[in-house]
Amino acid sequence: MAKLILDISTSLDGFIAGPNPGLEHPLGEGGEQLHEWAFPTRAFREAHGESGGEDSADSKVVEELRGRVGATVMGRKMFSGGHGPWQEDPNADAWWGDEPPFGHPVFVLTHHEREPVTKRGGTTFTFVTDGIESALEQARAAAGDKDVQVGGASVAQQYLKAGLLDEIGLHVVPVLLGDGVRLFENHLGARAPAVECTGVIESPNVTHLRYRVVR
Amino acid sequence: MAKLILDISTSLDGFIAGPNPGLEHPLGEGGEQLHEWAFPTRAFREAHGESGGEDSADSKVVEELRGRVGATVMGRKMFSGGHGPWQEDPNADAWWGDEPPFGHPVFVLTHHEREPVTKRGGTTFTFVTDGIESALEQARAAAGDKDVQVGGASVAQQYLKAGLLDEIGLHVVPVLLGDGVRLFENHLGARAPAVECTGVIESPNVTHLRYRVVR
């Protein structure tokens, strides 16, 4: 069965976004530093419609992930930074722009129903109001024989607690953000599963750590 | 000048001890898992007066640290798990036993004065009531040409905020503790310094990451 994977860039002090995320700083203040390792890679540029770029170990990491992911599940917060009824959310459409970088079906967990939205470049947003298991089921169906990626720390924690996460990939960036959104903010308590390190890739700007969740 | 280094084992979710630390579980519930990578190494066994052990990459990491550290600064919490006047602290002497594993001078930050304590095996505990800079100065004098290690997350944060920490070594253990004492609990905010990765050592049970604090 397709795997559910979390693949995320984190600061050395465990933050996946800086403080005060908003339309101006979707990744929070200073949060863009966490993704700078990817920007110059050939695979990242290609995914954003640009040519050239470095054919580095980092590029291979980006490429491998893109190749295996066929659908994404994310929270409302990652989709728009907002909450509550859609008509009151100023970023209900603005956040990801006209051509989001996914290029595959995205399922957005929300309490508020909404018709699907189709964007350019193969990204569709489908809004799921009946919980994480339903979203995962729909994402798996959409992903075909590929894997499903979970976006955002809060949703990842929910899947981890529910025993549904298969893999964790962390890109540890040599930055202390000092404040922001923690990857592991919601304490898992006794529900923390065992993990096994399956790979370490060192590069000048980031250390890629890969873990399998043992069930 | 001798460097001030933090060298600590952390869970994948950023905890350096489990919840509810006490005399029975000095590292908190489940916290001993964070140190299991070191136990079978030759260097760790040697430091604890035992022969044999594995001559592994992990052993070299332990050996290198032991070779370069000439003194330790730690907080009261790491010393006894307690607080307040010494006569009311049931673990004022019990916590580290008769032959603590340091084998060098240890400086304990506390608000309560106390005479120095000499233990077997070269460990002395000196109690410092006039702040982290004084403790560091005394530790540097005691360490000679060796480096000073800072023990415990809270004290490490204080030195980091004060711009006095030179190096961070993390041993990332493939365990999700789910709860406990966070390495980076006290938000550094705008005081977070830049860091630079200086080394990654992969081994089957733990990933060793080393960073230089850039000042």
Side-chain angles (χ1 to χ4, degrees):
Chain A
M1 193 161 61
K3 284 181 181 157
L4 180 63
I5 61 182
L6 169 67
D7 189 283
I8 204 160
S9 292
T10 168
S11 68
L12 187 55
D13 48 353
F15 296 104
I16 53 130
N20 308 315
L23 194 56
E24 206 182 329
H25 302 285
L27 304 164
E29 292 163 20
E32 69 288 345
Q33 296 174 82
L34 302 180
H35 303 271
E36 277 166 5
W37 66 269
F39 300 156
T41 65
R42 176 198 294 267
F44 182 90
R45 292 178 58 87
E46 196 177 285
H48 290 73
E50 293 174 71
S51 61
E54 297 167 9
D55 208 2
S56 56
D58 294 337
S59 189
K60 284 195 189 67
V61 168
V62 174
E63 195 180 352
E64 198 210 323
L65 181 74
R66 281 190 58 85
R68 58 185 285 213
V69 171
T72 293
V73 177
M74 64 167 66
R76 166 71 179 274
K77 203 165 178 181
M78 185 165 165
F79 175 72
S80 74
H83 53 87
W86 289 106
Q87 55 273 25
E88 293 166 22
D89 184 344
N91 302 326
D93 281 304
W95 199 276
W96 287 101
D98 293 330
E99 190 166 345
F102 303 97
H104 59 229
V106 176
F107 296 84
V108 181
L109 287 156
T110 168
H111 297 294
H112 301 273
E113 291 192 6
R114 182 175 172 186
E115 288 298 308
V117 175
T118 300
K119 296 279 190 176
R120 283 208 298 268
T123 300
T124 54
F125 290 110
T126 302
F127 302 89
V128 180
T129 56
D130 54 350
I132 63 169
E133 301 202 10
S134 166
L136 178 56
E137 201 177 308
Q138 294 179 55
R140 280 207 165 110
D145 57 357
K146 292 193 169 184
D147 292 330
V148 176
Q149 179 172 22
V150 54
S154 163
V155 176
Q157 294 281 310
Q158 292 178 48
Y159 281 110
L160 196 52
K161 276 191 191 180
L164 295 168
L165 196 68
D166 296 296
E167 214 178 296
I168 301 173
L170 298 186
H171 313 290
V172 183
V173 177
V175 163
L176 295 168
L177 276 189
D179 198 358
V181 181
R182 276 191 201 279
L183 175 56
F184 294 102
E185 181 64 82
N186 304 319
H187 290 192
L188 290 165
R191 300 236 187 143
V195 293
E196 193 180 83
C197 186
T198 54
V200 175
I201 297 172
E202 185 186 354
S203 91
N205 303 316
V206 59
T207 307
H208 309 281
L209 306 177
R210 195 123 218 120
Y211 297 86
R212 185 174 76 84
V213 180
V214 181
R215 287 207 292 265
Chain B
M1 192 160 64
K3 284 181 182 158
L4 180 63
I5 61 181
L6 169 67
D7 189 285
I8 203 160
S9 292
T10 169
S11 68
L12 187 56
D13 48 354
F15 297 103
I16 53 130
N20 307 315
L23 195 55
E24 206 183 329
H25 302 285
L27 304 166
E29 293 163 19
E32 69 287 345
Q33 297 174 80
L34 301 180
H35 302 271
E36 277 166 5
W37 65 268
F39 299 156
T41 64
R42 177 197 293 267
F44 181 90
R45 293 178 58 85
E46 195 178 285
H48 290 75
E50 293 174 71
S51 61
E54 296 166 10
D55 208 4
S56 56
D58 293 338
S59 189
K60 283 195 189 69
V61 168
V62 174
E63 195 180 354
E64 198 211 322
L65 181 74
R66 281 190 59 85
R68 58 185 287 211
V69 171
T72 293
V73 177
M74 64 168 64
R76 166 71 180 273
K77 201 163 179 183
M78 185 165 164
F79 176 71
S80 74
H83 54 87
W86 290 106
Q87 55 272 25
E88 294 167 21
D89 183 346
N91 303 325
D93 281 306
W95 199 276
W96 287 102
D98 292 331
E99 191 167 345
F102 303 97
H104 58 229
V106 177
F107 296 84
V108 181
L109 287 157
T110 168
H111 297 294
H112 301 272
E113 291 193 5
R114 182 176 171 185
E115 289 297 308
V117 175
T118 300
K119 296 281 190 174
R120 283 207 298 269
T123 300
T124 55
F125 291 111
T126 302
F127 302 90
V128 180
T129 56
D130 54 351
I132 62 169
E133 301 200 11
S134 167
L136 177 56
E137 201 177 308
Q138 293 180 57
R140 281 209 164 109
D145 57 357
K146 292 192 169 184
D147 292 330
V148 176
Q149 180 172 21
V150 53
S154 163
V155 176
Q157 293 281 311
Q158 290 177 48
Y159 281 110
L160 196 52
K161 275 190 194 182
L164 295 168
L165 196 68
D166 296 297
E167 215 180 292
I168 300 173
L170 298 186
H171 313 290
V172 182
V173 177
V175 164
L176 294 169
L177 276 187
D179 200 357
V181 181
R182 276 191 200 280
L183 175 54
F184 293 102
E185 180 65 82
N186 305 319
H187 290 192
L188 289 165
R191 299 235 190 146
V195 294
E196 193 179 83
C197 187
T198 54
V200 175
I201 297 172
E202 184 186 353
S203 91
N205 304 315
V206 59
T207 306
H208 309 281
L209 306 177
R210 196 124 217 119
Y211 297 86
R212 184 173 76 84
V213 180
V214 181
R215 289 207 292 264

